[in-house]
Amino acid sequence: MSLVWFNGRLIDGPLPLEAHDRGLLLGDGLFETLLVVNRAALWLHMHLARLEGSANELGIGFDRDAADAAVADLLDQASEVHHVLRLTLTRGPGARGLAGVGGEPTLIATLDAFDAGLMLQPVAMVTASVRRNPASPASRLKTLSYIDNIAAAREAKARGVEEALMLNTRGAAASASIANLFLVKGRTLITPGRDQGILTGVTRQALLAAAHRAGFETKERVVKPAELLTADGVFLTNSLRLIRPVKSLDGKPVGKADLSPLADVLCAAARLQCGRDPRLL
Amino acid sequence: MSLVWFNGRLIDGPLPLEAHDRGLLLGDGLFETLLVVNRAALWLHMHLARLEGSANELGIGFDRDAADAAVADLLDQASEVHHVLRLTLTRGPGARGLAGVGGEPTLIATLDAFDAGLMLQPVAMVTASVRRNPASPASRLKTLSYIDNIAAAREAKARGVEEALMLNTRGAAASASIANLFLVKGRTLITPGRDQGILTGVTRQALLAAAHRAGFETKERVVKPAELLTADGVFLTNSLRLIRPVKSLDGKPVGKADLSPLADVLCAAARLQCGRDPRLL
């Protein structure tokens, strides 16, 4: 199934997008991707808060009531157990000129069935040549300008693995192409800090808070790439796959720490009964 | 006037864009912007060659015949003296997953009247905080992922000037938000090299070749920001405004070299009779 909501209503057929919409022309917009389980969108308020904060930073109008209506209209139609709900906000059609004072923003939402496995599926990674730029909004915000992440993902795919390790322009480890990066050392979780050219993922934030409450030590800091090979374990987080262990980096094995305690912590924080749902584990 | 060509034909009304088109969802595509003067698109073959080369690099299908048809269909309708023709190529609708093996690419072309002055209008610049990343396809290729350029242009506008000087992540001068950067020292033209996180503009390439033929020395190299304040002159090039002198940087005056010999060289190379057309000068 695939449902589309466009500027206020569910529609059939293609998007009636204005030809000068800056989302399409210039990647001038933002998006959020949410996992829907049993008609509930996971961490909905955190996603909407991030979208609103990023829109304010970029000067794009954000109508929270419209976003709430889009989510409600789509969840109302959800049929399968799992879906992915995507919100796309663009600056809308604009006159020429990059600075872009312009028209009304465009809000699009889609709901698609999601039948991939969600958690704990091991991932092989290679280090991508594309680097993340801490002095760039495209690295920090979830904008429609995603070409660097795409290039990194294509490098990984060309080399036969699922994900790319993206370094930043200073040579430190930053993230994967669509996920945040964590290292496990004993009861300590280490993840690249906010100043490292990373997108601060909602699952990253939820896990940091929940793990801290559960007695883990959490550190946000500079991570050297070589640390991935000496840690007890390395894992990725994102909104659709939650937690996935990294099994290798550039063909070298990565530590096999047991991540199930962290998965339990995350599932509890998300009020997901992961252990009882075979689709979730 | 505004004309829109979509996947093979001129259309009225909004774009019938598939909701999962990766151009809109992920900035996964490319564009070219061409100046049309008297029904001829300036440096058309260079623009199409760049688009094709970039599409090959990103693994996006490019149909040269379709692009030629789009350009011909639009130029056939051109009425005013000056237009801007934009070609937009996306990877098309795709399944989930960044690496994006997928559907047919989407080709969109638009023709709009362009009534801005074209040449030699002085520009004030400020140095933007957003930096260009030499290890990023978004800096090198004219992709739909333009948010860094937008952020730089917005910084300039917020500070009351027309353009932003973008440094690269190594601290060297790279370009403006929508134009390449040149320094003039006597009969020498200096411009940041291809490895500096720049988009190699068509006008940049045309001017380098034409100026060299006309007896100027041309150098592509690392440019320190402080050099802009000691050069005889600084100017910007792009496809719509051709050559514009920089009059100030961060409030400090910039040298006032006479750029008219370079404008003449560029006009001759473009077979534009700039001196006889008051709209062009």
Side-chain angles (χ1 to χ4, degrees):
Chain A
M1 74 171 289
S2 182
L3 293 172
V4 180
W5 187 102
F6 182 84
N7 279 346
R9 61 189 176 82
L10 288 165
I11 60 167
D12 285 321
L15 295 178
L17 194 73
E18 213 279 328
H20 294 84
D21 194 289
R22 293 169 58 98
L24 174 64
L25 297 186
L26 297 166
D28 192 7
L30 295 156
F31 71 105
E32 294 289 332
T33 305
L34 295 83
L35 177 64
V36 174
V37 180
N38 295 327
R39 294 199 177 188
L42 211 58
W43 292 305
L44 175 61
H45 295 289
M46 287 175 71
H47 281 284
L48 291 176
R50 179 170 69 176
L51 182 57
E52 182 160 18
S54 301
N56 288 343
E57 181 170 343
L58 293 176
I60 299 174
F62 174 69
D63 180 342
R64 173 66 187 253
D65 291 340
D68 285 339
V71 171
D73 287 354
L74 288 174
L75 292 186
D76 199 45
Q77 307 279 324
S79 52
E80 290 88 353
V81 174
H82 298 134
H83 296 81
V84 51
L85 189 158
R86 179 179 156 131
L87 288 166
T88 302
L89 173 70
T90 87
R91 199 183 300 275
R96 284 204 59 77
L98 274 201
V101 186
E104 287 292 301
T106 301
L107 183 62
I108 304 164
T110 55
L111 187 76
D112 290 277
F114 182 69
D115 60 3
L118 297 183
M119 280 226 295
L120 295 182
Q121 299 179 354
V123 176
M125 294 180 97
V126 292
T127 306
S129 65
V130 185
R131 294 199 175 191
R132 299 183 72 89
N133 175 5
S136 154
S139 280
R140 287 186 298 109
L141 308 178
K142 202 165 174 77
T143 77
L144 300 178
S145 289
Y146 235 54
I147 198 76
D148 284 359
N149 302 59
I150 292 168
R154 288 177 57 83
E155 280 190 58
K157 183 166 185 161
R159 292 161 69 185
V161 300
E162 295 92 350
E163 252 292 12
L165 173 66
M166 297 182 78
L167 309 183
N168 64 27
T169 51
R170 301 167 193 151
S175 69
S177 73
I178 53 164
N180 286 113
L181 178 72
F182 281 83
L183 279 62
V184 185
K185 293 188 181 180
R187 291 278 293 177
T188 302
L189 300 186
I190 300 158
T191 191
R194 288 169 176 263
D195 59 351
Q196 297 297 299
I198 67 159
L199 182 80
T200 51
V202 164
T203 305
R204 174 187 185 273
Q205 301 307 101
L207 178 64
L208 282 173
H212 181 73
R213 284 196 302 271
F216 287 86
E217 188 177 2
T218 59
K219 290 185 182 170
E220 299 182 56
R221 64 161 171 83
V222 176
V223 174
K224 292 179 190 164
E227 289 185 76
L228 275 69
L229 297 173
T230 57
D232 296 335
V234 177
F235 64 93
L236 306 179
T237 60
N238 76 7
S239 291
L240 294 182
R241 304 299 193 84
L242 304 178
I243 288 184
R244 287 180 293 167
V246 175
K247 61 184 176 188
S248 66
L249 173 64
D250 297 326
K252 294 171 196 142
V254 165
K256 296 188 179 187
D258 177 16
L259 299 179
S260 57
L262 285 168
D264 290 345
V265 161
L266 191 67
C267 286
R271 298 194 185 89
L272 287 175
Q273 297 187 311
C274 298
R276 298 181 202 169
D277 184 342
R279 296 279 303 284
L280 277 170
L281 274 176
Chain B
M1 76 172 287
S2 183
L3 293 172
V4 180
W5 187 102
F6 183 84
N7 279 347
R9 61 189 176 83
L10 288 165
I11 61 167
D12 286 320
L15 295 178
L17 194 72
E18 213 279 328
H20 295 83
D21 193 289
R22 293 170 58 99
L24 174 64
L25 297 186
L26 298 167
D28 192 7
L30 295 157
F31 73 105
E32 294 289 331
T33 305
L34 295 84
L35 177 64
V36 175
V37 180
N38 296 326
R39 295 199 176 187
L42 210 59
W43 292 305
L44 174 61
H45 296 288
M46 287 174 73
H47 281 284
L48 291 175
R50 179 171 69 176
L51 182 57
E52 181 160 19
S54 301
N56 289 342
E57 181 171 341
L58 293 176
I60 299 174
F62 174 70
D63 180 342
R64 173 65 188 254
D65 292 340
D68 285 339
V71 171
D73 288 354
L74 289 173
L75 292 186
D76 199 45
Q77 306 279 324
S79 51
E80 290 88 354
V81 174
H82 298 134
H83 296 81
V84 51
L85 189 157
R86 178 179 156 132
L87 289 167
T88 302
L89 174 68
T90 87
R91 200 183 299 274
R96 284 203 59 77
L98 275 201
V101 186
E104 287 293 301
T106 301
L107 183 63
I108 304 164
T110 55
L111 187 76
D112 290 276
F114 182 69
D115 60 5
L118 296 183
M119 279 224 297
L120 295 181
Q121 299 178 353
V123 177
M125 295 180 96
V126 292
T127 306
S129 65
V130 185
R131 293 198 174 193
R132 300 183 72 89
N133 176 5
S136 154
S139 280
R140 287 186 298 107
L141 308 178
K142 202 166 175 75
T143 76
L144 301 178
S145 290
Y146 235 54
I147 198 76
D148 283 359
N149 303 57
I150 292 167
R154 288 177 58 83
E155 280 190 58
K157 183 165 186 163
R159 291 161 70 186
V161 300
E162 294 92 352
E163 252 292 10
L165 173 66
M166 298 182 76
L167 310 183
N168 64 25
T169 51
R170 300 166 194 150
S175 70
S177 73
I178 54 163
N180 286 113
L181 177 73
F182 283 82
L183 279 61
V184 186
K185 293 189 181 180
R187 290 279 292 176
T188 302
L189 300 185
I190 300 157
T191 191
R194 289 169 176 264
D195 59 350
Q196 297 297 300
I198 68 159
L199 181 81
T200 51
V202 164
T203 306
R204 174 189 187 272
Q205 300 307 101
L207 178 64
L208 281 173
H212 181 74
R213 284 195 303 270
F216 287 85
E217 189 177 1
T218 58
K219 290 185 181 169
E220 300 182 56
R221 64 161 169 82
V222 175
V223 174
K224 292 179 191 165
E227 290 185 76
L228 275 69
L229 298 173
T230 57
D232 297 334
V234 178
F235 65 92
L236 306 180
T237 61
N238 76 6
S239 292
L240 294 182
R241 303 299 193 84
L242 305 178
I243 288 183
R244 286 181 294 166
V246 175
K247 61 183 176 188
S248 67
L249 173 64
D250 298 325
K252 294 173 196 142
V254 165
K256 296 189 178 186
D258 176 16
L259 299 180
S260 57
L262 286 169
D264 289 345
V265 161
L266 191 66
C267 286
R271 297 195 186 89
L272 287 176
Q273 298 187 311
C274 298
R276 298 181 202 170
D277 184 343
R279 295 280 302 286
L280 277 170
L281 273 176

